């Protein structure tokens, strides 16, 4: 009996030791130093934005002889900021070119066939720009703004999902259109060289700048009589 009892106690002790916490061995004392509490350095960027020099090199400055930037906008922020400025400039130029052509077409008497809205024929639209805009129903204006918003949204979206997947602020080309079929439905630019495309972008920027000035002049002449010298009623 004594042998059995001793074996039982020994087995119980061995079972209990299996659940005992293992001793923690300290190889070296833990100390808090000044280096240990320093903030971690931010991770380096994994992209290279287009440089300021590359942006300012287009378009050429033969008209003024140098970059015309009286407000110093090119010195605001980082290279990403300047890339955003250039992208916005190209987009505003495109809108201004379309607006100028539309204003001219309405003033010249060109009209689409059919109705603009129920009960409103295109032929009934006035020939003056702001009056023609006022004649468009509210829902028609809302549809135009919504369409423009969808283009803007998908342009930003496709920068991350199409082509080289480089956003214009992350190494992509500012002003590049990413909405399929919007500006080049026939794909004429696919066969052009990089030099030809760069020349086309420079021309587009200059034409867009001129169109922005032109549309501003038309609007001022229409809104404030006599504000633009030699400008006929528009």
């Amino acid at each position: 009996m004594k042998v059995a009892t001793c074996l039982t106690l020994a087995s119980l002790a061995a079972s209990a030791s299996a659940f005992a916490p293992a001793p923690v061995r300290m190889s070296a004392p833990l100390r808090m130093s000044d280096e240990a509490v320093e903030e971690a350095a931010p991770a380096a960027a994994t992209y290279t934005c287009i440089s300021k020099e590359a942006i300012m090199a287009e378009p050429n400055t033969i008209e003024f002889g140098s970059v015309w930037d009286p407000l110093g906008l090119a010195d605001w922020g980082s290279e990403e900021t300047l890339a955003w400025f250039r992208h916005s400039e190209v987009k505003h130029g495109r809108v201004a070119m379309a607006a100028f052509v539309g204003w001219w077409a309405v003033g010249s008497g060109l009209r689409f066939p059919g109705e603009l809205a129920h009960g409103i024929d295109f032929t009934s639209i006035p020939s003056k720009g702001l009056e023609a805009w006022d004649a468009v129903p509210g829902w028609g204006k809302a549809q135009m703004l919504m369409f423009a918003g969808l283009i803007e949204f998908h342009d930003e979206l496709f920068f991350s999902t199409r082509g080289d997947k480089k956003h214009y602020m992350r190494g992509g080309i500012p002003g590049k259109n990413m909405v399929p079929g919007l500006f080049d439905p026939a794909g004429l630019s696919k066969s052009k060289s990089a030099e030809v495309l760069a020349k086309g972008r420079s021309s587009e920027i200059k034409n867009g700048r001129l169109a922005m000035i032109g549309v501003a002049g038309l609007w001022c002449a229409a809104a404030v009589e006599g504000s633009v010298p030699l400008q006929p009623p528009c």
Side-chain angles (χ1 to χ4, degrees), residues 27 108 127 131 140 142 146 154 166 200 213 216 225 232:
S27 59
S108 299
S127 295
E131 294 179 3
M146 290 174 62
H154 285 88
K166 289 184 178 181
I213 296 174
E225 185 177 355

Side-chain angles (χ1 to χ4, degrees), residues 5 7 13 15-16 18 25 48 89 96 112 116 135 147 157 165 172 175 200 216 220 225 229:
T5 302
L7 292 175
S15 301
R25 295 182 179 180
T48 302
E89 179 186 28
F112 286 112
L116 171 65
F147 180 69
L157 176 64
K165 297 183 180 180
C220 290
E225 185 177 355

Side-chain angles (χ1 to χ4, degrees), residues 102-176:
W103 200 306
W104 168 84
V106 171
S108 299
L110 299 178
R111 298 291 186 275
F112 286 112
E115 293 184 339
L116 171 65
H118 182 67
I120 303 177
D121 294 331
F122 277 106
T123 55
S124 65
I125 299 298
S127 295
K128 294 184 178 181
L130 295 184
E131 294 179 3
W133 173 253
D134 291 337
V136 177
W139 278 112
K141 297 175 182 177
Q143 289 177 19
M144 296 181 195
L145 295 176
M146 290 174 62
F147 180 69
L150 287 173
I151 293 176
E152 181 71 14
F153 172 78
H154 285 88
D155 189 49
E156 293 290 329
L157 176 64
F158 291 150
F159 255 110
S160 302
T161 59
R162 292 177 179 268
D164 54 11
K165 297 183 180 180
K166 289 184 178 181
H167 193 267
Y168 55 87
M169 295 175 64
R170 297 293 186 270
I173 301 175
K176 183 178 181 180

